[in-house]
Amino acid sequence: MAISKQHDEVINYGKIVSVRGSVIDARFENSLPAVYTLLQAGENLEIAIEVLSQLDDHTIRGIALTPTQGLARGMQIETNGKQLMVPVGKRTLGRMFDVFGNTIDHLKPLAQGEKRNIHQAPPPLDKRSTHSEIFETGIKAIDVLIPLERGGKAGLFGGAGVGKTVLLTEMIHNMVGQNKGVSMFCGIGERCREGNELYEAMKDAGLLENMIMMFGQMNEPPGARFRVGHAALTMAEYFRDDEHKDVLLLIDNIFRFIQAGMEVSGLMGQMPSRLGYQPTLETELSALEERIANTDTGAITSIQAVYVPADDLTDPAAVHAFSHLSATIVLSREKAGEGLYPSIDFLQSNSKMTTPGILGDRHYKLAQQIRQTLAQYEDLKDIISMLGMEQLSVGDRLVVNRARRLERFFTQPFFATEKFSGVKGEVVSLKDALDGCERILSDEFKDLPENAFYMIGKIEEALKKKEVKQEGADAAKPAV
């Protein structure tokens, strides 16, 4: 248990005193490691442990970031006093990493270069930008009604199978394809199948060169899943602060981060809070979220998928995530069942950017008018289901027709689903999306069938659909 000097590093040795699953207690006689210090154990030092608390003057308690098979009481444990570090810089572009910064894409080894600590302080307030800008995604429904903030945090809320990952994948395609910034994908507690599919999709689309991927998979210990978000943020911060670039950070799924924290908290013996969540939930989430910011040198814009347990938006995980977000996109199982993709519930979704000062008067008034039309349609649905459209007044029928056309106009063919649907994906500019909505609200297309607006890009495509159908109908008429 002496301290020795090796390769210009001071190595501190200790002994393991207990192993309980992923929780390791170790005793150090001379110098007690600080919280967050990385410890190594095992025959080849292959087991990594992060210090989470100091029990007394000589004992620490840590959580393993790797499986602990083979560890036993009395075994030696060592540390060089450093925390977990990951590689940063341009050499990381186009690669896939685990929480330790090791490449997992089976390509050539990563070039030597700078590494940084995953535990960083958020940017101070005087370095943050106070100017609000819109971040265009090329997705009509989001750009018109739930505009995202450059350097802000947007949440994708939804249960299992409503399209969170597909929407995230589409945003990566649109952002990396149009912008010259960097895209960072962080998979927390996701299935390895999803990671592999995303990697192959980005490779096929030629988007990997400006993208970094990091995964803490579902089968990994809770400690690794709990730290993968911090590791990804460290890589993203390099491009914002040193390269002065804009970074799009996609996190799938922030609930799995909270869930990993809950597992770690339970393993550490902390008293659970409401619904079994950890008592430190807000602190842990804030430590991650506050690092995502818009500074005077660049911005990290984050879009985070948030799994909502049992579709209950009052769940503590969803409530705490809400408090950090500048925009909330709620995905609806009912809309997904109707085939309206992206299946966004417009009346539950909102953005703090929807003000006349940021959007401009025309966009703001249009957005309010659309919301009002959709809300009126929602109120009329019960009457329609009981009595039918015939019992509505002429004015109400017009509202229903506008709302149903708007709902279908807000569907959009995605690049991410091309191989499943056979329909070519489209990116729609904000100007084209606003023009289409304005023309629908002015009843310019009231004679067009509703399905002409389904899965189109610009509004002109609805007219083309009608022409094609008309030609088909004419061709099918028997010759006289």
Side-chain angles (χ1 to χ4, degrees):
M1 287 176 280
I3 297 178
S4 73
K5 197 168 177 90
Q6 181 181 326
H7 304 301
D8 298 325
E9 284 185 345
V10 175
I11 306 294
N12 186 9
Y13 294 97
K15 271 194 176 174
I16 293 173
V17 292
S18 78
V19 181
R20 296 187 310 284
S22 291
V23 179
I24 314 294
D25 289 359
R27 183 174 178 83
F28 290 81
E29 292 297 343
N30 296 293
S31 174
L32 195 66
V35 171
Y36 298 148
T37 302
L38 191 68
L39 313 177
Q40 291 175 304
E43 283 184 20
N44 303 309
L45 303 181
E46 72 280 7
I47 298 169
I49 298 147
E50 187 178 72
V51 178
L52 284 191
S53 66
Q54 297 173 331
L55 301 181
D56 57 40
D57 290 349
H58 294 285
T59 315
I60 59 90
R61 177 165 290 167
I63 191 85
L65 307 182
T66 52
T68 56
Q69 284 92 340
L71 273 195
R73 289 175 64 188
M75 285 180 73
Q76 185 172 277
I77 190 167
E78 65 177 66
T79 176
N80 58 7
K82 293 180 180 176
Q83 299 179 3
L84 180 57
M85 303 180 92
V86 290
V88 296
K90 291 181 179 176
R91 66 201 169 107
T92 59
L93 290 171
R95 304 302 299 267
M96 190 192 284
F97 298 91
D98 64 11
V99 69
F100 300 101
N102 301 320
T103 54
I104 52 173
D105 49 14
H106 306 297
L107 300 177
K108 62 182 181 183
L110 197 67
Q112 292 297 313
E114 184 185 355
K115 286 191 168 190
R116 286 191 186 170
N117 184 349
I118 70 162
H119 298 284
Q120 302 283 349
L125 287 175
D126 60 348
K127 297 285 183 194
R128 298 191 182 213
S129 172
T130 54
H131 178 61
S132 294
E133 288 178 55
I134 295 294
F135 184 78
E136 278 194 42
T137 63
I139 297 169
K140 291 179 288 191
I142 293 174
D143 289 343
V144 173
L145 286 177
I146 319 144
L148 306 185
E149 180 186 10
R150 177 179 172 267
K153 296 178 274 283
L156 275 176
F157 288 79
V162 292
K164 297 185 298 297
T165 305
V166 171
L167 197 51
L168 278 186
T169 309
E170 186 68 10
M171 286 185 189
I172 294 173
H173 186 283
N174 293 358
M175 292 306 98
V176 179
Q178 290 178 40
N179 296 4
K180 298 300 178 192
V182 173
S183 183
M184 174 94 216
F185 184 89
C186 175
I188 305 178
E190 291 301 294
R191 300 161 190 86
C192 58
R193 170 187 60 78
E194 292 174 338
N196 189 51
E197 284 173 4
L198 179 65
Y199 181 80
E200 293 299 332
M202 294 298 110
K203 191 175 175 182
D204 293 344
L207 300 173
L208 271 183
E209 61 184 29
N210 282 321
M211 189 172 179
I212 307 164
M213 293 185 184
M214 179 170 273
F215 288 94
Q217 289 166 205
M218 194 176 265
N219 62 321
E220 293 185 26
R225 287 181 271 125
F226 191 46
R227 289 296 177 228
V228 71
H230 297 279
L233 257 170
T234 301
M235 287 184 170
E237 283 167 344
Y238 169 85
F239 288 99
R240 179 191 66 190
D241 301 336
D242 294 46
E243 297 279 336
H244 301 172
K245 287 186 175 179
D246 282 2
V247 182
L248 177 67
L249 172 66
L250 299 120
I251 301 177
D252 188 6
N253 185 309
I254 206 71
F255 174 77
R256 305 282 178 217
F257 168 77
I258 293 169
Q259 201 173 40
M262 182 163 63
E263 289 180 54
V264 169
S265 175
L267 288 166
M268 295 293 287
Q270 291 179 330
M271 183 72 73
S273 181
R274 189 167 148 240
L275 295 186
Y277 286 102
Q278 62 271 41
T280 50
L281 168 57
E282 182 60 47
T283 310
E284 289 165 4
L285 192 59
S286 300
L288 185 74
E289 297 282 8
E290 288 302 303
R291 290 170 63 180
I292 302 167
N294 184 1
T295 68
D296 40 19
T297 57
I300 297 178
T301 304
S302 174
I303 299 163
Q304 308 169 8
V306 186
Y307 167 71
V308 181
D311 293 342
D312 177 18
L313 290 171
T314 63
D315 187 90
V319 170
H320 283 298
F322 265 123
S323 63
H324 292 279
L325 305 172
S326 54
T328 53
I329 303 167
V330 179
L331 299 182
S332 153
R333 198 171 296 285
E334 186 185 336
K335 286 263 175 32
E338 291 174 29
L340 299 173
Y341 290 102
S343 53
I344 298 171
D345 186 328
F346 298 113
L347 301 179
Q348 278 198 297
S349 305
N350 62 72
S351 167
K352 73 168 194 178
M353 303 298 280
T354 44
T355 62
I358 295 170
L359 296 183
D361 282 340
R362 180 192 175 221
H363 185 170
Y364 176 74
K365 284 175 182 171
L366 260 177
Q368 295 305 99
Q369 205 177 338
I370 292 165
R371 281 185 184 276
Q372 192 178 1
T373 304
L374 294 173
Q376 284 176 280
Y377 174 46
E378 197 64 34
D379 292 340
L380 292 168
K381 274 184 179 176
D382 287 343
I383 297 171
I384 295 167
S385 62
M386 287 188 289
L387 305 173
M389 284 278 284
E390 295 74 23
Q391 300 303 313
L392 298 180
S393 66
V394 176
D396 284 346
R397 272 190 231 173
L398 280 173
V399 167
V400 171
N401 286 335
R402 284 178 207 137
R404 288 180 67 84
R405 281 163 175 74
L406 281 169
E407 277 187 341
R408 280 147 187 78
F409 179 61
F410 282 133
T411 62
Q412 188 169 333
F414 279 179
F415 292 96
T417 56
E418 264 183 30
K419 60 183 175 186
F420 307 113
S421 65
V423 182
K424 186 169 170 52
E426 291 196 43
V427 174
V428 183
S429 70
L430 178 60
K431 179 184 178 298
D432 290 333
L434 290 174
D435 286 346
C437 294
E438 200 167 40
R439 291 168 75 180
I440 290 170
L441 287 169
S442 64
D443 293 329
E444 188 179 324
F445 304 105
K446 64 181 179 183
D447 297 327
L448 280 184
E450 288 171 7
N451 61 5
F453 298 88
Y454 182 68
M455 285 296 166
I456 61 170
K458 297 179 185 178
I459 194 74
E460 286 77 18
E461 290 176 37
L463 295 168
K464 286 180 189 170
K465 265 192 178 182
K466 185 192 178 187
E467 287 166 13
V468 169
K469 283 193 175 177
Q470 189 62 48
E471 284 170 13
D474 293 343
K477 284 180 185 175
V480 178

